[in-house]
Coordinates of all heavy atoms in Angstrom, one line a residue:
A54 N -7.9 -2.1 8.0 CA -6.5 -2.1 7.8 C -6.0 -1.1 6.8 O -5.0 -0.4 7.0 CB -6.0 -3.5 7.4
A55 N -6.8 -1.0 5.7 CA -6.5 0.0 4.7 C -6.6 1.4 5.2 O -5.7 2.3 4.9 CB -7.4 -0.2 3.5
A56 N -7.6 1.7 6.0 CA -7.8 3.0 6.6 C -6.6 3.3 7.5 O -6.1 4.5 7.5 CB -9.1 3.1 7.3
A57 N -6.2 2.4 8.3 CA -5.1 2.6 9.2 C -3.8 2.8 8.4 O -3.0 3.7 8.8 CB -4.9 1.4 10.2
A58 N -3.6 2.1 7.4 CA -2.4 2.3 6.5 C -2.4 3.6 5.9 O -1.4 4.3 5.8 CB -2.3 1.1 5.5
A59 N -3.6 4.0 5.4 CA -3.7 5.4 4.8 C -3.4 6.5 5.8 O -2.8 7.5 5.4 CB -5.1 5.5 4.2
A60 N -3.9 6.3 7.0 CA -3.6 7.3 8.0 C -2.1 7.4 8.3 O -1.5 8.4 8.4 CB -4.4 7.0 9.3
A61 N -1.5 6.2 8.4 CA 0.0 6.2 8.6 C 0.7 6.8 7.4 O 1.7 7.5 7.6 CB 0.4 4.7 8.9
A62 N 0.2 6.5 6.2 CA 0.9 7.0 5.0 C 0.8 8.5 5.0 O 1.6 9.2 4.5 CB 0.3 6.4 3.8
A63 N -0.4 9.1 5.4 CA -0.6 10.5 5.4 C 0.4 11.2 6.3 O 0.8 12.4 6.0 CB -2.0 10.8 5.8
D64 N 0.9 10.6 7.3 CA 1.9 11.2 8.2 C 3.3 11.1 7.6 O 4.2 11.8 8.1 CB 1.9 10.4 9.5 CG 0.6 10.6 10.3 OD1 -0.1 11.6 10.0 OD2 0.3 9.8 11.2
D65 N 3.5 10.3 6.6 CA 4.8 10.2 6.0 C 4.9 10.9 4.6 O 4.3 10.5 3.7 CB 5.1 8.7 5.8 CG 6.5 8.4 5.2 OD1 7.2 9.4 5.0 OD2 6.8 7.2 5.0
P66 N 5.6 12.0 4.6 CA 5.6 12.8 3.3 C 6.3 12.1 2.2 O 6.1 12.5 1.0 CB 6.3 14.1 3.7 CG 7.1 13.7 4.9 CD 6.4 12.6 5.6
T67 N 7.1 11.1 2.5 CA 7.8 10.4 1.4 C 7.0 9.3 0.7 O 7.4 8.8 -0.3 CB 9.1 9.7 2.0 OG1 8.7 8.7 2.9 CG2 10.0 10.7 2.6
T68 N 5.8 9.1 1.3 CA 4.9 8.0 0.7 C 4.4 8.5 -0.7 O 3.9 9.6 -0.8 CB 3.7 7.8 1.6 OG1 4.2 7.3 2.9 CG2 2.8 6.7 1.0
T69 N 4.5 7.6 -1.6 CA 4.0 7.9 -3.0 C 2.7 7.2 -3.2 O 2.5 6.1 -2.7 CB 5.0 7.3 -4.0 OG1 6.3 7.9 -3.7 CG2 4.6 7.7 -5.4
A70 N 1.7 7.9 -3.9 CA 0.4 7.2 -4.2 C 0.7 6.0 -5.0 O 1.6 5.9 -5.8 CB -0.4 8.2 -5.0

Side-chain angles (χ1 to χ4, degrees):
D64 294 337
D65 183 2
T67 62
T68 300
T69 306

